[in-house]
Structures are given as structure tokens and as C-alpha cells.
Amino acid sequence: AERNPICFANHNDSKAILYEAENFQGHKFELSDDYPSLQAMGWGNKEVASIKVNAGAWVAYQYPGYRGYQYVLERDRQNGEYKKYNEYSSQAHTNQIQSIRRIQH
């Protein structure tokens, strides 16, 4: 079969890494799924200081259950590198992120 040259973002390759400290330092947590509560999944903080999006696009939320402020984080923006919380969005007044999910394509 001929390979389709068009590559769609599909869920299998959605990946993001959360970091405890700015500039991708400290404890990290790799995501490839939706997390209604990061703390329930083992992330010890309410804060996420930096994020690297390796594939796909994600929406991060301030509170569990996909509530509160939301930040759209995309591989196609800034190379997928968000070195500190005010790069998540101009509305980001806090680095509190407690749930995150992939954007459906």
C-alpha cells in the first residue's frame, strides 16, 4: 500500500512533558494521555513550572476536572517549548495546572 504523505496528529503520538522547575529542570512527568487530575496520577504539585510539547496539542487547566483557566499548548508554537508559566498564555497569572488533555483532531 502507498504511504499517505499527509500526517495527521493522532492520539498515539501526543506527548508532553511537565517539569517541576522553569527551563525544563527538576522532577518531570511524561504524558501521552488525558489526565483529569495530575495529582491523582502521581504529580506531586499543583504547579507546573515548564512544559515541553513533543507532539500534538494540549489544553492545560488550572483545576482538576478540566476547570479554571485554560492554556492551549501546541507543538507548532514556540517549538513546543514553554520555559516558564507566562509563556503558556498572556492570561497565565499562576503556574497552577492540575488537569490536562489532548485536543482532538
Side-chain angles (χ1 to χ4, degrees):
E2 210 176 292
R3 298 272 309 182
N4 186 334
I6 298 169
C7 179
F8 292 102
N10 80 46
H11 272 356
N12 303 335
D13 55 31
S14 290
K15 281 243 185 316
I17 305 171
L18 310 181
Y19 294 86
E20 180 181 43
E22 292 185 354
N23 296 312
F24 319 121
Q25 301 294 309
H27 183 63
K28 66 181 187 180
F29 191 74
E30 196 167 311
L31 310 175
S32 53
D33 209 343
D34 300 349
Y35 293 89
S37 169
L38 287 169
Q39 286 177 294
M41 297 306 297
W43 180 250
N45 301 315
K46 292 183 177 179
E47 290 82 31
V48 176
S50 52
I51 298 177
K52 201 173 273 190
V53 177
N54 293 335
W58 300 74
V59 189
Y61 299 82
Q62 186 179 6
Y63 300 121
Y66 313 124
R67 293 179 305 113
Y69 275 120
Q70 46 186 273
Y71 313 120
V72 176
L73 309 167
E74 298 170 277
R75 175 69 184 92
D76 301 343
R77 220 169 88 222
Q78 307 189 178
N79 242 3
E81 298 191 348
Y82 300 85
K83 295 184 179 70
K84 45 184 189 285
Y85 76 88
N86 60 9
E87 293 183 356
Y88 302 160
S89 134
S90 54
Q91 274 80 54
H93 302 303
T94 166
N95 59 2
Q96 198 173 82
I97 289 179
Q98 296 180 73
S99 53
I100 190 166
R101 63 180 169 189
R102 298 160 300 177
I103 295 177
Q104 308 286 334
H105 285 291

